[in-house]
Amino acid sequence: MYGDIPEASSTPKDSPIDFDDPLYVHPFDNVVTSIITIKLTGNENYRLWCSAMTRGLNATNKLGFVDGTLTLGKTESSKASKWEHVNAVLCNWILGSISETIYASHVYSDKAEGIWNELFETYNKADGSVIFNVHQQINTLKQNGYSLSDYYNKLDSLWKEFDGLTILTECVCEAATKLNDHSKLMKLMQFLSGLDDVYDGF
């Protein structure tokens, strides 16, 4: 009837999203945003890429989208559209951080968790060739005119990558302490042997 107050719509409205909610998308967090500066190229840098990407997702409170703790099924129905939006953003973040050759194999995937798990299954492999390559880089690395800090950081990065590829069973016995001390000594010797000639006196 003309003049009557219209009935309230039965369509549920989206619930407001708090700033600290994983479903919140900052205005600057769009599909072309890059949250890391390196690109995944294969087995040789998967762990470096994964570590950087994990920190980036954690910093934006979006890690739950790829580790299985924040799935669409666990999300309130009123927030489903927001979940889909964030998932699409994350898909683009991940796809934007991988090389073109890898991109082609995952571009049709529509779930961030699925892409994440596929990359893990494909590239999280510490085969002998990868370990050998890292060890070879450590043995051949020289200062070559770089600053001490740059040289140290590069060598330290390689050692951390090597240690990550050759994880030993954790032990708190006395032998483990001695083994750790021995490892530190070998790393020190490697660092000193790669210094430029100007440091021979040292």
Side-chain angles (χ1 to χ4, degrees):
M1 182 175 184
Y2 182 79
D4 287 348
I5 300 175
E7 294 182 4
S9 173
S10 60
T11 304
K13 294 182 179 180
D14 287 343
S15 302
I17 301 297
D18 294 329
F19 179 80
D20 59 348
D21 191 309
L23 295 176
Y24 176 82
V25 178
H26 191 278
F28 292 111
D29 291 338
N30 52 60
V31 295
V32 296
T33 302
S34 177
I35 61 174
I36 62 175
T37 58
I38 63 172
K39 284 187 178 293
L40 174 65
T41 57
N43 289 24
E44 66 279 359
N45 77 332
Y46 172 79
R47 284 171 177 75
L48 177 64
W49 173 88
C50 183
S51 178
M53 182 60 77
T54 299
R55 281 195 300 272
L57 293 175
N58 199 30
T60 55
N61 203 19
K62 301 292 187 290
L63 193 58
F65 280 84
V66 299
D67 67 8
T69 59
L70 186 60
T71 63
L72 181 58
K74 297 177 182 178
T75 304
E76 296 177 22
S77 57
S78 61
K79 297 181 178 180
S81 62
K82 294 185 183 297
W83 188 96
E84 293 285 5
H85 173 65
V86 178
N87 173 72
V89 171
L90 264 65
C91 284
N92 279 279
W93 283 357
I94 297 173
L95 292 172
S97 69
I98 61 182
S99 66
E100 291 185 11
T101 54
I102 299 176
Y103 178 92
S105 300
H106 302 280
V107 66
Y108 298 107
S109 300
D110 59 0
K111 292 292 186 292
E113 183 183 3
I115 300 174
W116 185 264
N117 290 336
E118 289 170 7
L119 293 173
F120 175 86
E121 292 295 330
T122 304
Y123 300 108
N124 186 41
K125 298 177 180 178
D127 58 30
S129 63
V130 175
I131 297 174
F132 174 79
N133 181 55
V134 176
H135 192 263
Q136 189 77 348
Q137 290 183 65
I138 291 173
N139 286 333
T140 58
L141 184 65
K142 302 295 180 183
Q143 184 181 2
N144 285 335
Y146 289 102
S147 68
L148 275 177
S149 60
D150 287 345
Y151 166 57
Y152 169 80
N153 287 332
K154 175 60 177 177
L155 185 59
D156 184 56
S157 175
L158 288 170
W159 271 118
K160 287 178 178 176
E161 184 176 359
F162 181 81
D163 290 342
L165 292 169
T166 56
I167 298 176
L168 301 176
T169 302
E170 187 173 353
C171 176
V172 293
C173 63
E174 183 180 353
T177 301
K178 292 182 178 180
L179 181 61
N180 185 51
D181 290 340
H182 176 74
S183 176
K184 289 180 179 179
L185 178 61
M186 291 299 97
K187 291 175 182 178
L188 174 61
M189 295 300 102
Q190 182 65 46
F191 172 77
L192 295 175
S193 66
L195 289 173
D196 289 344
D197 293 343
V198 68
Y199 293 101
D200 282 349
F202 169 74

